[in-house]
């Protein structure tokens, strides 16, 4: 087979795997989500999943975010490893090992519209938790930590929405830098569980990888910008902006407003 034939075959596969609508919108959403993730260590899913799910459906958008986030955040893992409370993160990750497969089963088996309504409700509920400012300030407890990890893993497997429970539990009395390191390290571990579960569940279809190639650069740029803002912007200002974006994403991503994003029914 000649090189030209190989290139033509790859090009044909790529074109067939991409959806016929919404690619530019997905790129814009990925940039905004990456900005939030780079600054705080979480928040990408709360923005990207409701909006992206309205365009290509939840069963496709969740694996896409898993892949692009996993690739783009590799450089965040070494400093997170050094700065995190590793024993507590590991206990939570043990709970996630059970929660992620259960959430993945929900993603694979539930009706797409029902799943999108569930994502909207969960996103708004988790946003309320973040806005409330509640953090657990007691002494760490292994059974409760693993239970929180299980719940976060369930949300991560179903829609990559495990961030807020992790922040509420790991935040405690730690400063923002420690919280960010904890969250980044936890998700680097739970993402491995998600990747295994998604593969077993048959969720890594060709469109996931084709869209990853298209969306990844926008996400990386946003991630880099957010990381730079982490050292420059006021934490409170950026948090408020993220909360507004998350709320708008959850509302616009509702199936009731599909016409806003020109989404297909499923």
């Amino acid at each position: 087979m000649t090189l030209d034939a190989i290139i033509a075959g790859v090009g044909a596969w790529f074109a067939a795997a991409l959806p016929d609508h919404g690619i530019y919108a997905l790129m814009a959403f990925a940039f905004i989500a990456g900005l939030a993730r780079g600054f705080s260590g979480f928040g990408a899913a709360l923005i990207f999943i409701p909006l992206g799910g309205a365009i290509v459906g939840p069963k496709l958008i969740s694996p896409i975010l898993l892949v692009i986030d996993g690739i783009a955040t590799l450089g965040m893992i070494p400093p997170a490893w050094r700065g995190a409370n590793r024993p507590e993160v590991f206990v939570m990750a043990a709970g996630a090992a059970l929660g992620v497969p259960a959430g993945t089963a929900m993603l694979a088996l539930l009706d797409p519209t029902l799943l999108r309504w569930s994502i909207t409700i969960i996103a708004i509920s988790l946003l309320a938790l973040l806005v409330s400012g509640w953090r657990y300030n007691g002494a760490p407890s292994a059974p409760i930590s693993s239970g929180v990890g299980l719940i976060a893993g369930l949300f991560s497997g179903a829609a990559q929405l495990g961030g807020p429970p992790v922040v509420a539990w790991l935040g405690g009395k730690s400063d923002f830098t420690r919280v960010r390191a904890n969250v980044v390290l936890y998700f680097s571990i739970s993402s491995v569980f998600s990747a295994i579960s998604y593969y077993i569940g048959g969720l890594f279809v060709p469109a996931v990888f084709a869209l990853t190639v298209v969306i990844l650069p926008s996400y990386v740029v946003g991630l880099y910008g957010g990381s730079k803002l982490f050292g420059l912007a006021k934490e409170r200002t950026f948090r408020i902006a993220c909360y507004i974006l998350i709320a708008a994403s959850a509302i616009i991503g509702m199936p009731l407003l599909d016409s806003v994003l020109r989404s297909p029914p499923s």
Side-chain angles (χ1 to χ4, degrees), residues 91-92 95 140-150 169:
V91 171
M92 286 192 63
S141 165
I144 300 180
S145 290
S146 60
V148 173
L150 188 150
W169 181 250

Side-chain angles (χ1 to χ4, degrees), residues 173-191:
K173 298 177 181 179
S174 303
D175 60 28
F176 185 55
T177 301
R178 172 59 65 88
V179 173
R180 184 174 180 268
N182 288 341
V183 173
V184 170
L185 181 59
Y186 169 81
F187 278 110
S188 69
I189 298 172
S190 69
S191 291

Side-chain angles (χ1 to χ4, degrees), residues 79-174:
W81 176 267
R82 294 190 295 269
N85 182 345
R86 291 194 295 270
E88 191 168 2
V89 171
F90 292 157
V91 171
M92 286 192 63
L98 299 177
V100 168
T104 301
M106 294 173 60
L107 176 61
L109 300 175
L110 286 180
D111 173 76
T113 301
L114 174 61
L115 185 59
R116 284 180 56 204
W117 275 115
S118 300
I119 288 171
T120 295
I121 294 170
I122 292 171
I124 292 174
S125 299
L126 294 179
L127 174 61
L129 175 64
L130 290 174
V131 172
S132 73
W134 183 86
R135 301 290 186 271
Y136 179 78
N137 293 308
S141 165
I144 300 180
S145 290
S146 60
V148 173
L150 188 150
I151 294 172
L154 184 69
F155 289 168
S156 291
Q160 299 298 302
L161 291 173
V166 176
V167 172
W169 181 250
L170 290 180
K173 298 177 181 179
S174 303

